């Protein structure tokens, strides 16, 4: 006996229809995720966008590295063709910009770096982004916080990457020199891949050029030096970068030293 359409719809149709919709949505989500992580680095490097608000600064900047066709098209939506090389988005422009939605703010382990008397902050490449808010906070006013010495280590593959925050580092460096606190921030920049001696272009970056090293950090010697200069203190270790660096720092943080210095390891990953 044939089942009528109305009878089937009343008994089983709704259940099967919901199941079909649910399966379709899952398949769609799977393919969107697959394409997102299979189209090249430009798709999963959107974490290179960075917000750096502080208590005294309500605005934030967005840093987007152009590494493929997706980010190139995104740049073309924002900048007119004649000024695509500009680093700053023009504020007065008679064109319709796409609407952007931003989630947040979200907490970060690096906020705790202000609660140590001594902190070691290590960034690998774009892993410098979580530290930007900390540096901006110190630039506003460092006195309310417990932090009195910051070791800032940044490792990049190419020299141009240092220009992302070169201005901020220079301003911060000059601020503490003018306030007679030259030992507050210890900046070390490492260029891991190069064919020869290079420098950050620009007269205003001379302070950074003198702190630019070729090669990779000698982590054990660095920890020994920090332990010796901060005997008996607790040093907060913060890392955002490749797993290889993170594992090395974690291992060294757990190692005993003869100076009574304790290292507490913290990690944030953008992967």
């Amino acid at each position: 006996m044939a089942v009528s359409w109305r009878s089937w719809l009343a008994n089983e149709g709704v259940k099967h229809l919901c199941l079909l919709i649910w399966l379709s949505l899952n398949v769609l989500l799977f393919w969107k995720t697959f394409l997102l992580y299979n189209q090249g680095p430009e798709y999963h490097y959107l974490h290179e966008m960075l917000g750096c608000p502080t208590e005294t600064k309500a605005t934030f900047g967005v840093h987007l590295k152009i590494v493929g066709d997706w980010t190139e098209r995104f740049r073309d939506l924002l900048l007119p063709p004649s000024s695509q090389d500009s680093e700053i988005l023009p504020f007065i422009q008679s064109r319709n910009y796409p609407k952007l939605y931003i989630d947040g703010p979200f907490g970060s382990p690096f906020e705790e770096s202000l609660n140590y008397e001594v902190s070691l902050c290590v960034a690998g490449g774009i892993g410098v982004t979580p530290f930007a808010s900390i540096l901006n906070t110190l630039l506003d006013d460092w006195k309310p916080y417990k932090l009195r010495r910051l070791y800032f280590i940044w490792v990049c593959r190419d020299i141009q990457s240092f220009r992302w925050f070169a201005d901020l580092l220079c301003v911060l460096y000059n601020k503490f020199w003018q306030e007679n606190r030259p030992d507050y921030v210890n900046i070390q920049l490492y260029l891991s891949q190069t064919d020869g001696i290079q420098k950050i272009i620009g007269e205003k970056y001379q302070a950074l050029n003198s702190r630019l090293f070729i090669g990779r950090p000698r982590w054990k010697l660095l920890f020994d030096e920090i332990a010796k200069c901060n005997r008996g203190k607790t040093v907060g270790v913060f890392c955002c970068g490749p797993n290889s660096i993170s594992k090395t720092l974690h291992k060294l943080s757990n190692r005993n030293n003869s100076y009574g210095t304790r290292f507490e390891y913290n990690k944030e990953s953008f992967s």
Side-chain angles (χ1 to χ4, degrees):
M1 178 177 172
V3 180
S4 68
W5 167 257
R6 291 185 177 180
S7 176
W8 177 85
L9 185 62
N11 292 285
E12 300 292 337
V14 175
K15 184 190 300 183
H16 285 80
L17 182 61
C18 291
L19 179 61
L20 181 62
I21 294 175
W22 182 81
L23 289 173
S24 299
L25 290 175
N26 276 272
V27 171
L28 178 63
L29 179 62
F30 168 80
W31 280 109
K32 288 186 68 176
T33 305
F34 174 79
L35 292 174
L36 180 67
Y37 288 94
N38 199 49
Q39 295 291 332
E42 63 271 23
Y43 283 86
H44 50 86
Y45 266 87
L46 287 180
H47 61 261
E48 295 185 3
M49 293 183 177
L50 168 69
C52 308
T54 65
E55 291 184 358
T56 60
K57 185 174 67 173
T59 60
F60 65 89
V62 177
H63 297 255
L64 179 64
K65 185 178 180 181
I66 309 301
V67 292
D69 56 354
W70 193 97
T71 46
E72 287 176 355
R73 291 197 299 269
F74 186 71
R75 175 199 60 191
D76 295 341
L77 287 174
L78 300 177
L79 298 177
S82 59
S83 61
Q84 286 185 352
D85 293 332
S86 174
E87 296 181 358
I88 302 177
L89 181 67
F91 288 98
I92 303 176
Q93 187 72 30
S94 58
R95 55 185 307 183
N96 294 322
Y97 293 113
K99 184 178 294 186
L100 302 179
Y101 296 90
I102 301 172
D103 290 334
F106 300 104
S108 169
F110 296 112
E111 296 175 13
E112 293 299 317
S113 62
L114 298 173
N115 296 327
Y116 288 89
E117 186 177 348
V118 182
S119 288
L120 167 62
C121 295
V122 178
I126 196 61
V128 72
T129 54
F131 295 110
S133 291
I134 302 301
L135 297 178
N136 273 293
T137 298
L138 295 177
L139 188 61
D140 288 341
D141 188 7
W142 56 274
K143 296 177 182 178
Y145 304 100
K146 184 178 180 180
L147 183 64
R148 288 300 177 265
R149 178 168 296 175
L150 172 65
Y151 294 89
F152 181 75
I153 315 298
W154 189 8
V155 185
C156 288
R157 291 183 178 180
D158 60 273
I159 193 71
Q160 293 302 320
S161 298
F162 290 119
R163 301 197 66 178
W164 294 335
F165 297 107
D167 291 329
L168 173 59
L169 292 175
C170 285
V171 172
L172 191 65
Y173 171 83
N174 292 329
K175 170 186 173 67
F176 287 111
W177 265 94
Q178 293 172 2
E179 297 185 10
N180 198 27
R181 295 299 303 270
D183 59 341
Y184 191 100
V185 178
N186 186 315
I187 300 173
Q188 298 182 29
L189 309 178
Y190 289 86
L191 185 60
S192 61
Q193 296 182 4
T194 178
D195 296 328
I197 301 299
Q198 299 189 43
K199 64 179 181 179
I200 306 175
I201 305 300
E203 188 69 26
K204 60 182 179 180
Y205 301 139
Q206 291 302 316
L208 297 184
N209 286 324
S210 62
R211 285 153 181 78
L212 177 63
F213 304 92
I214 305 301
R216 299 179 184 275
R218 302 172 67 179
W219 297 115
K220 185 178 181 302
L221 291 179
L222 177 66
F223 269 72
D224 289 341
E225 178 186 351
I226 294 176
K228 183 178 180 180
C229 295
N230 302 276
R231 298 171 184 262
K233 296 181 179 180
T234 299
V235 179
V237 181
F238 300 84
C239 173
C240 187
N243 285 331
S244 57
I245 296 180
S246 177
K247 291 179 180 178
T248 300
L249 297 182
H250 196 177
K251 182 178 179 179
L252 290 172
S253 296
N254 294 331
R255 184 176 63 94
N256 292 326
N257 59 78
S258 59
Y259 304 103
T261 306
R262 179 185 176 188
F263 292 90
E264 292 187 351
Y265 178 78
N266 304 267
K267 178 192 175 185
E268 177 164 317
S269 175
F270 49 66
S271 59

